[in-house]
């Protein structure tokens, strides 16, 4: 670990990401409670709010990738972190003063999504400039480990804060975390030259990014099956929050249900910590096999949610399910990111990441509202079963594709020194 942190700028980059991750998991609990308890939103409205968060990824994701390749990435990271701090503080203020409405929350969440989109396109593309290719999987694993550690405590903290001071006030913690993250990133002094000066053709740049992903023999099946996985996982995860807060223990007040949700998500965080700790070992199987294992096991975890009974036993079942789901996601995540970054030239990093990520998260624009509607009209469990079936089909397609044989590229050895004959 000391070797990875020895690369200039990486330690602050990691610290900023870790601080932000802790706050984000507070909002993961607090934001749905703002909608459900403060605004009395219906299941369908909760799905629309979740969809608004991810709509910018579908609408502007490819443009964000072009920006991350055209401009310096660190300034983008700093500005978007500070902007997100302001937006969360505004949501909390409006909720505390009784001025927040469902349409206003959707609008603010959508603007927040634009800032997150720009941040993530630059974030994933900035890391390869801080560490060498051979260290990318390990560097991603360190960041995944800290994010997973945040996941084990952030939801618990979020649930506790919601129970103690209310959901709007709890969101202020996340606003502060974005502020600190932006200030940390601003102190990185590693030189970052302006990429690719000269004339630029937006259309050509967009086509080039799309072609790199969807014509690549491994990235293409990886991306397409991942998009499908995100679509059906977003259905399941949207319904999951509603199920835990409203259906798992119907007599529980919303604030106590929020605390329970935080505990369950924290258990998932423990699974993610274990998974990321094993990701480097799993990478020896080959990146493709690690990814395929995750795709196959994840719907099994969601099956356990769909089968959960009510009451205490049900809480145990959904906790075990979250542990299993995040365990395999933790194993796969660093291998996925390391492979993507290692096989992609630097000039295409922003567009590659934004192409894949924008359509991944764009699927939530569709899946989250669909999940809310399914929950409202056919019930929580049938809606989760639909998500399970879709993820299982995507997993089968991934397992039968060239993705299963993908391996991280071997580092290129340095050239032999020239022999000078005297």
């Amino acid at each position: 670990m000391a070797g990875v942190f020895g690369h200039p700028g990486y330690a602050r980059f990691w610290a900023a990401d870790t601080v932000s991750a802790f706050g984000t998991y507070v909002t993961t609990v607090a934001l749905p409670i703002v909608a459900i308890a403060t605004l009395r939103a219906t299941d369908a409205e909760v799905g629309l709010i979740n969809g608004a968060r991810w709509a910018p990824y579908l609408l502007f994701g490819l443009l964000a990738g072009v920006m991350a390749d055209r401009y310096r990435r660190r300034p983008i990271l700093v500005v978007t972190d500070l902007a997100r701090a302001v937006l969360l503080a505004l949501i909390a203020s409006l909720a505390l003063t009784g001025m927040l409405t469902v349409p206003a929350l959707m609008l603010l969440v959508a603007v927040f999504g634009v800032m997150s989109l720009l941040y993530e396109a630059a974030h994933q593309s900035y890391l390869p400039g801080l560490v060498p290719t051979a260290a990318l999987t390990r560097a991603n694993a360190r960041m995944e480990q800290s994010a997973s550690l945040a996941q084990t405590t952030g939801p618990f903290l979020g649930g506790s804060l919601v129970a103690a001071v209310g959901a709007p006030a709890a969101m202020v913690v996340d606003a502060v975390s974005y502020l600190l993250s932006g200030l940390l990133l601003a102190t990185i002094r590693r030189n970052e030259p302006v990429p690719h000066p000269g004339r630029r053709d937006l259309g050509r740049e967009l086509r080039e990014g799309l072609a790199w992903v969807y014509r690549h023999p491994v990235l293409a099946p990886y991306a397409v099956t991942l998009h499908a996985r995100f679509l059906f996982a977003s259905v399941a995860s949207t319904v999951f929050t509603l199920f835990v807060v409203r259906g798992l223990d119907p007599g529980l007040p919303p604030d106590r249900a929020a605390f329970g949700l935080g505990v369950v998500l924290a258990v998932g965080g423990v699974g993610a910590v274990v998974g990321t700790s094993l990701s480097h070992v799993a990478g020896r199987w080959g990146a493709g096999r690690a990814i395929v294992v995750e795709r196959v096991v994840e719907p099994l975890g969601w099956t356990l949610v769909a089968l959960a009974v009510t009451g205490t036993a049900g809480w145990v079942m959904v906790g075990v399910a979250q542990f299993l789901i995040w365990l395999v996601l933790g194993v796969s995540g660093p291998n996925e990111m390391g492979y993507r970054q290692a096989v992609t030239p630097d000039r295409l990093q922003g567009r590659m990441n934004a192409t894949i990520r924008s359509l991944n998260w764009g699927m939530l624009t569709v899946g989250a509202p669909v999940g809310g509607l399914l929950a409202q009209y056919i019930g929580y469990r049938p809606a989760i079963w639909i998500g399970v079936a879709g993820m299982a089909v995507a997993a089968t397609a991934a397992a039968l594709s060239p993705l299963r044989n993908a391996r991280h590229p071997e580092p290129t050895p340095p050239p032999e020194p020239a022999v000078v004959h005297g």
Side-chain angles (χ1 to χ4, degrees), residues 356-383:
I356 295 175
R357 196 172 184 90
S358 63
L359 288 175
N360 283 348
W361 296 110
M363 291 298 101
L364 274 70
T365 306
V366 179
V370 168
L373 288 169
L374 289 173
Q376 186 162 323
Y377 291 106
I378 69 173
Y380 299 131
R381 297 175 195 276

Side-chain angles (χ1 to χ4, degrees), residues 10-408:
Y10 177 76
R12 295 187 185 192
F13 184 72
W14 168 85
D17 194 66
T18 300
V19 168
S20 176
F22 272 89
T24 296
Y25 283 110
V26 174
T27 294
T28 298
V29 177
L31 184 59
I33 302 303
V34 168
I36 293 170
T38 304
L39 300 182
R40 308 294 180 187
T42 65
D43 290 348
E45 286 174 332
V46 171
L48 289 171
I49 292 167
N50 287 342
R53 163 72 172 86
W54 306 109
Y57 288 75
L58 191 61
L59 298 174
F60 311 118
L62 300 181
L63 292 175
V66 172
M67 289 186 63
D69 285 337
R70 279 188 177 187
Y71 303 105
R72 290 188 179 96
R73 291 155 184 166
R74 187 172 63 88
I76 296 174
L77 298 175
V78 173
V79 170
T80 52
D81 257 348
L82 299 179
R84 288 187 291 178
V86 172
L87 286 166
L88 287 179
L90 181 58
I91 291 173
S93 299
L94 291 174
L96 288 168
T97 56
M99 298 175 64
L100 188 65
T101 62
V102 169
L105 181 58
M106 289 177 62
L107 176 62
L108 290 170
V109 164
V111 177
F112 183 91
V114 173
M115 296 298 104
S116 295
L117 166 63
L118 292 170
Y119 176 90
E120 288 159 9
H123 183 270
Q124 293 182 339
S125 307
Y126 188 57
L127 179 59
L130 295 177
V131 301
T133 299
L136 280 172
T137 297
R138 193 174 294 275
N140 277 299
R142 297 297 172 252
M143 297 182 71
E144 290 280 353
Q145 284 173 340
S146 60
S148 300
L149 181 61
Q151 188 180 349
T152 65
T153 54
F156 180 79
L157 174 62
S160 300
L161 285 171
V162 169
V165 300
M171 291 183 66
V172 176
V173 173
D174 196 11
V176 173
S177 77
Y178 281 118
L179 175 63
L180 293 176
S181 175
L183 295 176
L184 275 169
L185 290 167
T187 64
I188 296 176
R189 297 303 178 206
R190 186 179 178 87
N191 182 51
E192 185 186 8
V194 178
H196 318 303
R199 291 191 62 185
R200 294 152 173 165
D201 183 332
L202 178 61
R204 182 186 63 78
E205 290 177 278
L206 291 173
R207 290 191 298 271
E208 191 176 17
L210 287 166
W212 174 256
V213 172
Y214 295 111
R215 291 181 183 174
H216 192 281
V218 175
L219 288 181
Y222 161 76
V224 171
T225 57
L226 186 62
H227 301 333
R229 176 261 165 196
F230 264 82
L231 173 63
F232 290 100
S234 68
V235 171
S237 59
T238 298
V239 178
F240 176 78
T241 301
L242 294 166
F243 176 54
V244 170
V245 173
R246 287 177 168 166
L248 187 59
D249 199 344
L252 208 61
D255 57 345
R256 297 210 31 210
F259 178 78
L261 175 63
V263 172
V264 167
L265 294 178
V267 172
V270 174
V273 170
V274 176
T276 51
S277 299
L278 298 174
S279 61
H280 187 62
V281 176
R284 297 173 187 170
W285 310 338
R289 291 181 182 177
I291 295 167
V292 168
V293 166
E294 181 277 318
R295 301 284 182 86
V296 171
V297 175
E298 185 180 6
L300 299 178
W302 285 110
T303 296
L304 191 57
V305 174
L307 294 173
V309 297
T310 57
T312 302
W315 285 101
V316 173
M317 291 178 72
V318 297
V320 171
Q322 284 292 298
F323 180 88
L324 180 62
I325 291 166
W326 283 100
L327 172 70
V328 292
L329 286 170
V331 167
S332 177
N335 285 289
E336 292 190 42
M337 285 306 307
Y339 180 82
R340 282 161 49 173
Q341 292 166 338
V343 300
T344 302
D346 181 71
R347 67 184 185 83
L348 288 167
Q349 286 283 341
R351 282 167 285 173
M352 176 276 293
N353 284 315
T355 296
I356 295 175
R357 196 172 184 90
S358 63
L359 288 175
N360 283 348
W361 296 110
M363 291 298 101
L364 274 70
T365 306
V366 179
V370 168
L373 288 169
L374 289 173
Q376 186 162 323
Y377 291 106
I378 69 173
Y380 299 131
R381 297 175 195 276
I384 293 172
W385 280 120
I386 290 173
V388 169
M391 283 185 275
V393 171
T396 302
L400 297 175
S401 76
L403 171 62
R404 68 182 184 274
N405 297 319
R407 301 191 69 86
H408 295 291

